[in-house]
Amino acid sequence: MQRSLLAQALGLAALLALPASAQIADYTPLDEQTLRNPSPGDWLQWRNTDNGWGYSALDQITPDNVGALRMVWGWAMEPGQQETGPLIYNGTMFLANPGGLIQALNAETGDLLWEYKREFGDTVRPGAITRGLAVFGDHIYYAAPDAVMVALDARTGQIAWETVVADTQVGHYFTAAPIVAEGMVVAGYQGCNRFREDKCAIVGIDAASGEEMWRVDTIEPESEGDSWGGTPHLLRGGGDIWTSGTYDAENGLVLIGVSQAKPWARASRGHDGATLYTNAVLAIEPATGEVAWYRQYIPGDSNDMDEAFEHMLIEIEGSDRYVNMGKLGILWQGDPADGAATAAYDLGWQNQIDLQGAAFADYRDGMVPDVNVPIAMCPSTAGFRSWRAMAFSPETRAVYVPISMNCDAAMIYREVEMVEGGGGNGQAGSTRTMHPDSPENMGRFVAMNVDTGDVLWQHDMRAPANTSTLTTAGGVMFAGDWDRNLYAFDQATGEVLWQTRLPQAAQGYLAAYAVNGRQYIAVPIGVGGASWSTSLPITLLPEIRRPSTGNGLLVFALPDVN
């Protein structure tokens, strides 16, 4: 629904496009063909390209010269929860700050071109996370924390249209970047911790007009089946969306992950049903919203083990496959045409589930908890993986996975109030610990062959991995940790080729781009990120300290030969 003039007058959100030093006079509208087949110098989506690889075809920076890398400009960002990923199109960077500030910067110099500031009411957390943006046509698309999709004029930052997607008064909000496919802006929202009739959903919005064209709820309605053990629709919680989709142009589908059921434990929910469509990937036709297929990774998940993270599209042994890894450190693969499971490779650190072939078999003994009875589980609910996306290199045939090695010595679940407004995650206690296989080091970057599941190399660190990984055609992989280190690795061997200390922890989604023949590496830095970023190192690695403030973006390049 379009935001009404009355809603604006009531001050539910104050919308400001602030004047800046310049605007984008020579902006070229981004068409469908260019979005699907971008220039190597651009970074047009959350993970750059439709296949979700987080890979740049630029090759100016190599193992031989990366040692000369230096910072060429930086930009201070708004305070708040930092997990951003910049977009770069034709020499302009579009950057989402925490707390509602969107900026256009000259990607070569860092100069401000325009900015848009959105003011929120009391229902939106100050400094709320925005993980990224989308670009298409004349617009920048911003999935705002007040559950409104906003289209900004890419030249000026002025509002083109805005559409209210969900009710922020009951806690709904966006964090994930939208994607654009077949003229539709596709995004999912979260905030379904409590029992409400309104459920989390994925929406398709016409990119030109802002009209909502379709909606897919992530919780199975009673009319479609009973995977919730007879629980009324009102008392079915969870199914939040916090990850962006991947567009499979070959099959005309958007693949998007759905998180766990709430409360987390079967015992707290009062049944052992599969709880569709949680902990699953949905394949949706972007033009119509029809769900072509779904795959549930862990039916009836009982320990908050999200397996529905970013999905890559990779050709494996001559066949197209989707590839995904969630909290358990299992590399899941399947057929993107129908969702069928084809392979699964377990890194071997989790103690919760068994596999049968390419799919979930069952929980191990003692790993389906009762209420008020502690269990020891690896990983903890923080996961080995979290929002920090992995990347793929076609040269090495490997995914590069950011890891936090951790366990929970005494996870306790409780009963929840089964009434409207009740629910929650059902957690009553937690004792996070280091993993017994890695008692001294929490952080790890792992290179894993997608064809065989073999680990090619791993790099251990005291502090947890804290960024996405970024692979490049030059053979260099970039990533950062919680202890303010930024690394450049040889993708083939894992050798640290270059390392520098940053003023704040690297935190967010890295990007590579080029302007006027020069390759750049963009690195968000900052704070926040809830338990996935802060509680583990603060509790378990107290000797490592980082500043309490300091969000920003740092950009690196080789010395300018000109």
Side-chain angles (χ1 to χ4, degrees), residues 539-553:
T539 302
L540 301 177
L541 308 174
E543 79 280 8
I544 299 178
R545 301 292 298 273
R546 68 178 190 178
S548 59
T549 60
N551 291 337
L553 184 89

Side-chain angles (χ1 to χ4, degrees), residues 25-40:
D26 57 350
Y27 182 85
T28 301
L30 179 63
D31 60 25
E32 183 84 16
Q33 181 178 357
T34 304
L35 181 60
R36 305 280 78 91
N37 300 282
S39 163

